Amino acid sequence: MSQATLEDKFAGVGNLRDALRNSPTGFYQFLVPPEHSNWRDEQRAIVETAVLFEQSFHMNDLYISGADKIRLLSDLSINNYENFKPMTAAQFVACNEQGYIIGDAIVFHLQDGSLNLVCKPAAANWVTFKAQTGNYDVELYNDRRVLEGNQQRRCYRLQIQGPNSYKILEKLNKAPLPETRFFGMCEFSIDGYQVTALRHGMSGVAGMEFWGPFEEREAVRTALLKGGAEFGLKAAGGRVYSATGPESGWVGSVMPAIYEGEDMQAYRQWLPADGFEGSLSIGGSLMGEKIEDYYMDPWDLGYHRLIHWQHDFIGREALLAKRELPHRKKIWLRWRSEDVEKIYGSFYQPAGQGYKYLEAPAAHYATIPYDEVRLNGLLIGVAVYAAYTVGAASWFSIGIIDEDKVEFGKEVEITWGEPEGVTGKLTVEPHKQTTIRAVMSKTAQG
């Protein structure tokens, strides 16, 4: 008996939206302790001292080598690889033929010439499928996230963020770090263990993401925590990590644009029924009429600036056709504290009479969250990934708003909670919907 595919799973489903809204899956799992001390102190350390994030378990690492490795990525993504040299990194954004995003990733050009695509499963699966079914001279190794593989990864991946990050790394390196531009890569050591690092930051602070052989993970992590103690380094758990991405403006999971159309049928027949794409959940107040209403294009996420129009790639013609059309813009929506207090106050009501639970610091209860955003009663966009951070000193969401309606400082209303009051998601308790007033902002801080 052949394995059931994604196409099999949804072939007889009348409304795919409802099927995914009732998926029992909750938020994307990081598979790390939620807290090491408490999330408030861990968040404060991001802006005052430094934190250490564990990223070894929740992403796929797709390693790509062979003569056509760059051509494969160029054919599949909007990005420019003309000067993509070893020891540099780039964003990877893959679209379908209609110009909607299938998945995104960071791709690292390693010193040995191979590529490492670090991503949620959607991007890794799409690249693997196209590599296997297209005319590409490449070799792939998919080191799957722990949920789909095992505990033994090829590499560990850690990240240090905060104003004292470089002081800690230079202490353990016993020398200044190499001069490295943003999104550039370098090598140094941590207590004698060689690491490769990417320079980048989250939540507006400096930082480094670095990796090495998985068997060295515990020794490197221990050395960092011991050596960083005098600089206030704290280990940060999954709760803080969940809120840090939205503060930085990163939309963690995008609905893979693969669920309809004959051009995607072969891919759906290739994907397993019980994989990421077949198990994810939709949450929030938005009730799109069709699954395409949940797709996003590069403008929605601010990725349009990465489109390299001078090369051919899947989705180019569709994106070119709407290049000059109205788009949506990614902003932040800072919530009114009075409405947050209203939600928390409702928890003292009888069961089912309160509003949707607001779990701090990240109220993420579905894989793909979409809450309606209205201005004077008119639907103007969606809000995703509600969070609270010490740095923002406020609850906020990332807003994806019709660009002609964006007016910073103006107030909009977010509809919070599921229209049905309860769905098949195990993370959703019986509740009532409510509205949250929020101010359109250029950053999470206002």
Side-chain angles (χ1 to χ4, degrees), residues 234-436:
K234 286 186 175 293
R239 298 180 76 176
V240 170
Y241 189 72
S242 297
T244 304
E247 184 178 20
S248 300
W250 183 55
V251 177
S253 289
V254 178
M255 174 67 74
I258 63 168
Y259 294 96
E260 83 301 315
E262 291 184 4
D263 59 317
M264 280 292 172
Q265 186 175 19
Y267 183 47
R268 294 192 298 271
Q269 292 170 338
W270 181 87
L271 286 168
D274 59 356
F276 173 76
E277 296 85 352
S279 304
L280 61 78
S281 62
I282 298 174
S285 57
L286 181 70
M287 293 292 281
E289 294 182 0
K290 55 189 184 303
I291 197 65
E292 295 95 318
D293 293 335
Y294 297 92
Y295 292 171
M296 294 188 181
D297 67 24
W299 284 273
D300 291 334
L301 303 185
Y303 289 156
H304 60 288
R305 58 186 173 79
L306 302 176
I307 300 176
H308 181 244
W309 299 104
Q310 288 71 45
H311 84 286
D312 194 21
F313 58 89
I314 295 175
R316 181 182 181 277
E317 294 307 312
L319 293 174
L320 192 60
K322 58 181 180 179
R323 187 177 183 177
E324 304 303 325
L325 298 178
H327 301 289
R328 296 190 297 187
K329 181 180 178 67
K330 185 181 72 173
I331 63 172
W332 283 262
L333 302 172
R334 285 174 56 88
W335 295 13
R336 293 291 189 191
S337 59
E338 300 91 339
D339 292 343
V340 175
E341 293 166 3
K342 174 186 67 176
I343 292 173
Y344 280 116
S346 77
F347 300 162
Y348 298 97
Q349 298 297 318
Q353 296 301 303
Y355 303 129
K356 178 72 191 77
Y357 185 62
L358 194 61
E359 182 172 357
H364 305 163
Y365 61 89
T367 316
I368 316 284
Y370 295 84
D371 291 316
E372 290 185 345
V373 178
R374 294 183 179 273
L375 177 63
N376 300 322
L378 177 68
L379 182 67
I380 63 167
V382 295
V384 301
Y385 294 111
Y388 169 88
T389 67
V390 170
S394 173
W395 276 88
F396 58 88
S397 301
I398 297 175
I400 299 169
I401 307 299
D402 294 342
E403 60 184 356
D404 63 339
K405 300 297 190 300
V406 172
E407 184 178 339
F408 294 116
K410 198 162 192 173
E411 190 172 89
V412 296
E413 285 191 338
I414 300 169
T415 305
W416 176 251
E418 307 269 317
E420 308 92 327
V422 66
T423 62
K425 290 186 290 294
L426 302 180
T427 50
V428 178
E429 76 288 355
H431 64 275
K432 299 190 304 182
Q433 281 189 321
T434 188
T435 56
I436 299 167

Side-chain angles (χ1 to χ4, degrees), residues 20-318:
L20 295 178
R21 287 186 64 81
N22 285 287
S23 170
T25 306
F27 183 58
Y28 193 89
Q29 296 184 47
F30 300 119
L31 301 175
V32 296
E35 297 169 298
H36 290 278
S37 53
N38 66 81
W39 65 261
R40 282 82 60 199
D41 285 343
E42 291 171 17
Q43 272 198 352
R44 190 169 291 109
I46 296 176
V47 296
E48 294 180 356
T49 54
V51 298
L52 181 65
F53 286 123
E54 174 66 83
Q55 298 177 295
S56 301
F57 306 112
H58 72 279
M59 292 286 203
N60 282 39
D61 283 74
L62 181 64
Y63 295 91
I64 310 171
S65 59
D68 291 337
K69 60 183 184 291
I70 299 294
R71 183 170 72 87
L72 172 66
L73 295 191
S74 182
D75 288 352
L76 300 187
S77 68
I78 67 176
N79 312 84
N80 182 4
Y81 300 101
E82 289 181 347
N83 297 304
F84 191 40
K85 307 294 185 185
M87 296 300 286
T88 60
Q91 286 186 286
F92 168 92
V93 181
C95 294
N96 68 8
E97 292 286 3
Q98 291 73 44
Y100 293 107
I101 295 173
I102 294 173
D104 62 334
I106 302 297
V107 57
F108 299 87
H109 200 156
L110 303 179
Q111 192 171 51
D112 65 4
S114 66
L115 308 179
N116 179 15
L117 200 71
V118 179
C119 52
K120 301 283 178 67
N125 290 341
W126 177 241
V127 174
T128 301
F129 170 74
K130 298 302 283 187
Q132 291 179 356
T133 59
N135 183 26
Y136 296 101
D137 179 10
V138 293
E139 295 179 1
L140 306 181
Y141 174 75
N142 192 359
D143 189 7
R144 299 181 182 276
R145 60 179 182 153
V146 167
L147 278 177
E148 299 177 354
N150 56 53
Q151 293 285 336
Q152 185 64 39
R153 308 298 306 277
R154 175 180 284 192
C155 289
Y156 70 83
R157 188 171 298 274
L158 300 172
Q159 183 181 145
I160 188 168
Q161 297 287 328
N164 290 345
S165 297
Y166 280 41
K167 295 177 183 177
I168 296 166
L169 294 176
E170 288 177 346
K171 173 187 175 181
L172 293 169
N173 187 46
K174 298 182 174 60
L177 298 183
E179 287 288 334
T180 310
R181 64 177 179 80
F182 182 74
F183 242 58
M185 291 161 58
C186 63
E187 291 183 326
F188 53 89
S189 68
I190 294 177
D191 200 30
Y193 294 95
Q194 190 76 9
V195 304
T196 306
L198 171 73
R199 183 192 165 204
H200 79 119
M202 296 178 71
S203 301
V205 296
M208 283 276 192
E209 178 180 314
F210 47 92
W211 57 93
F214 189 83
E215 56 269 21
E216 296 177 358
R217 169 186 165 271
E218 191 57 41
V220 170
R221 188 174 181 277
T222 299
L224 280 162
L225 292 173
K226 182 179 178 181
E230 68 173 291
F231 299 100
L233 177 67
K234 286 186 175 293
R239 298 180 76 176
V240 170
Y241 189 72
S242 297
T244 304
E247 184 178 20
S248 300
W250 183 55
V251 177
S253 289
V254 178
M255 174 67 74
I258 63 168
Y259 294 96
E260 83 301 315
E262 291 184 4
D263 59 317
M264 280 292 172
Q265 186 175 19
Y267 183 47
R268 294 192 298 271
Q269 292 170 338
W270 181 87
L271 286 168
D274 59 356
F276 173 76
E277 296 85 352
S279 304
L280 61 78
S281 62
I282 298 174
S285 57
L286 181 70
M287 293 292 281
E289 294 182 0
K290 55 189 184 303
I291 197 65
E292 295 95 318
D293 293 335
Y294 297 92
Y295 292 171
M296 294 188 181
D297 67 24
W299 284 273
D300 291 334
L301 303 185
Y303 289 156
H304 60 288
R305 58 186 173 79
L306 302 176
I307 300 176
H308 181 244
W309 299 104
Q310 288 71 45
H311 84 286
D312 194 21
F313 58 89
I314 295 175
R316 181 182 181 277
E317 294 307 312

